[in-house]
Amino acid sequence: MQALISLYDKTGLDALAPALVEAGYSLIASGGTSDALAELGIAHTTVEDLTGFPSLFGGRVKTLHPAIHGPILADRTKVDHVEELRAQGWSPIDLVVVNLYPFDADPSIELIDIGGPALVRAAAKNFESVTVVVDPGDYQRISKGIAVGLSLDERKALAAKAFAYVSAYDSRVARWLTGEETSGLLPYTTLNLRRVRELRYGENPHQSGALYVDDSETPSGWATAHWLGTEEPSYLNIFDADGAQHLLDRLGDSPACVIVKHGGPCGVARRANIQDAYVEAFDGDPLSAFGGVVAINRPLTPELATLMLDRPKFDVLVAPGVVGPAEETILAKRRRSRIVLFEGATASRQIRSVAGGYLVQLPDDLEGIDGFRLVTSRTPSDGELEDAWMAVAVAQAAASNAVVIVKDQVAVGVGQGQPSRVDASRIAVAKAGDRASGGVGASDAFFPFPDGLETLISAGVTTVVAPSGSVKDDEIAKVAERAGISLLFAPRRHFRH
């Protein structure tokens, strides 16, 4: 039996190679792998000795040779293939262990691996006779299995993994060549998904769910988050946590808290300390906050944990860290709650599946205060402008149609997910109650009729910001002027469905 080993990452080679020799394999190695085996004192044949050709063109051509690919690809069930091998003086290669140049480490032409993928694909194609290994994490299992022989199902699974590995590698090269990360939406895009976590269930308990990462990208975000607690997260836990964290990131460096329920923000606050931010966010809509996702941008302290226990439970808490016994304080009393330590990440593309295809878009960028245009004679105060920007940020995170009322950096009323904008306004006003007076309102898109704006005005809102673009913009501006409020036109809408 023969095993061909060609590794860039030689992790685990010191254990794998002796195990192969003990199982009766003769080893063939290329380049640096040959040097590593020599240092380990393990006998082997070099690729150059097997092919009779030196490594050519600075290493670009060394394993691309019939003496290598013939023994890998020959179908052992076909008499003529076996006779051809014998006629050439070649022995079958039964095991191929390969990993590729780390293209992501320093993308360049020279790190586009050709020979390695060719070896992997050849061995994976002939999985009925050949075992292919691309993951050092499989070495221990392989070492134990080769003594008794791996089953056909095991070799098939390894082959599938190998093809996915090469596909992800090719995707990374394609993205670099096309400049996908910086060029927006291109005619072709790549998506290589690898499951990294099975979820407790999907959107509903009868649906299965899992978290996948694009295998052509470095894992980050929720794939690398650290979950504390006794239960696995569900699909909606991660979906809501992602929405909460995204809005939290928008709010900047001040201590802030975001509470999300069913995909939309129901509590948002910025304060001088994280305890006050949490209390204000929760009190923004206590009823909706029950069983929601809480995200904070400061570590969870024992003091904050105690405050949280005084209020109805949350399902998930997202925090950058935990101080002292805060974790035990929460989880000892609420065993079904989960705390997730999240270091932050942003999505470069937003993708949704539809029948027969996918919808892909770039992230929705949020404008700054300087993007607002005043169209009434009343000038808003600096505090009102800050509240206006925050209201727009919350409306952007809410389901459309969305109208938000913010007062003193607290979201006091959120109306979202309504087919009618005036209904969204009414819900925001109803949730805000007396707190709407002196507050600032924001709409995620223009007011098509004055009724939504008039609803906010009647509640005592003093400043409103909304995108322009309605045929009734002039009429709406006149309504605001007559009411003596400030009306700001924003440069663009922020629908979220």
Side-chain angles (χ1 to χ4, degrees), residues 273-280 282-283 300-314 326 329-330 334:
N273 62 73
I274 195 62
Q275 289 91 341
D276 288 346
Y278 167 71
V279 171
E280 294 279 9
F282 187 91
D283 289 346
L300 175 67
T301 62
E303 295 78 14
L304 181 54
T306 300
L307 274 175
M308 290 180 167
L309 290 176
D310 289 339
R311 286 165 172 75
K313 81 174 190 74
F314 56 83
T329 299
I330 293 287
R334 296 181 178 168

Side-chain angles (χ1 to χ4, degrees), residues 143-386:
S143 297
K144 292 179 179 178
I146 53 178
V148 295
L150 293 169
S151 70
L152 178 61
D153 285 344
E154 288 175 308
R155 294 197 301 275
K156 186 177 182 180
L158 288 168
K161 187 174 187 178
F163 275 118
Y165 175 72
V166 174
S167 177
Y169 184 87
D170 289 343
S171 294
R172 290 193 288 272
V173 175
R175 288 186 179 183
W176 176 68
L177 289 172
T178 58
E180 183 170 305
E181 282 78 5
T182 57
S183 299
L185 303 179
L186 298 168
Y188 297 92
T189 188
T190 55
L191 192 64
N192 297 85
L193 300 184
R194 173 171 56 88
R195 190 181 68 195
V196 295
R197 190 175 201 125
E198 291 190 61
L199 303 177
R200 197 163 78 256
Y201 51 79
E203 217 164 358
N204 299 289
H206 63 276
Q207 294 174 270
S208 298
L211 175 65
Y212 288 77
V213 298
D214 190 333
D215 214 19
S216 60
E217 298 178 353
T218 302
S220 63
W222 300 107
T224 56
H226 183 43
W227 290 80
L228 309 174
T230 58
E231 286 192 333
E232 282 292 304
S234 70
Y235 177 101
L236 286 180
N237 287 156
I238 295 179
F239 183 83
D240 285 351
D242 185 64
Q245 183 65 43
H246 184 70
L247 176 53
L248 189 68
D249 290 341
R250 291 282 203 212
L251 298 180
D253 295 330
S254 298
C257 176
V258 173
I259 303 175
V260 165
K261 183 72 174 291
H262 292 302
C266 60
V268 185
R270 292 198 289 192
R271 280 293 180 262
N273 62 73
I274 195 62
Q275 289 91 341
D276 288 346
Y278 167 71
V279 171
E280 294 279 9
F282 187 91
D283 289 346
D285 189 348
L287 189 63
S288 297
F290 175 77
V293 170
V294 177
I296 55 176
N297 61 358
R298 295 292 188 277
L300 175 67
T301 62
E303 295 78 14
L304 181 54
T306 300
L307 274 175
M308 290 180 167
L309 290 176
D310 289 339
R311 286 165 172 75
K313 81 174 190 74
F314 56 83
D315 276 0
V316 175
L317 170 65
V318 184
V322 177
V323 177
E327 174 188 344
E328 291 77 11
T329 299
I330 293 287
L331 298 181
K333 295 288 183 69
R334 296 181 178 168
R335 296 186 181 277
R336 297 194 65 182
S337 293
R338 285 158 296 281
I339 300 172
V340 55
L341 307 183
F342 185 85
E343 296 182 358
T346 57
S348 60
R349 296 175 294 172
Q350 296 173 335
I351 301 172
R352 287 185 178 182
S353 60
V354 294
Y358 299 87
L359 295 175
V360 182
Q361 65 178 356
L362 300 180
D364 180 16
D365 293 329
L366 187 64
E367 64 271 15
I369 291 175
D370 56 0
F372 300 157
R373 177 167 60 91
L374 180 65
V375 294
T376 52
S377 58
R378 179 186 183 274
T379 300
S381 68
D382 289 345
E384 287 175 317
L385 284 174
E386 288 290 339

Side-chain angles (χ1 to χ4, degrees), residues 89-128:
W90 298 334
S91 298
I93 293 176
D94 307 284
L95 175 66
V96 174
V97 185
V98 173
N99 57 55
L100 308 179
Y101 300 156
F103 184 79
D104 286 341
D106 182 22
S108 64
I109 295 296
E110 290 309 316
L111 282 185
I112 298 177
D113 200 326
I114 301 300
L119 290 173
V120 172
R121 289 174 62 85
K125 174 179 178 175
N126 204 21
F127 69 87
E128 291 185 345

Side-chain angles (χ1 to χ4, degrees), residues 405 407 412 432-440 456 459-462:
I405 301 174
K407 186 175 183 179
V412 296
D434 293 340
R435 297 173 297 176
S437 181
V440 173
L456 296 177
V461 167
T462 56

Side-chain angles (χ1 to χ4, degrees), residues 469-486:
S470 169
V471 295
K472 294 184 178 291
D473 276 351
D474 290 343
E475 179 182 345
I476 288 166
K478 289 176 182 177
V479 169
E481 183 67 31
R482 286 195 298 269
I485 73 162
S486 302

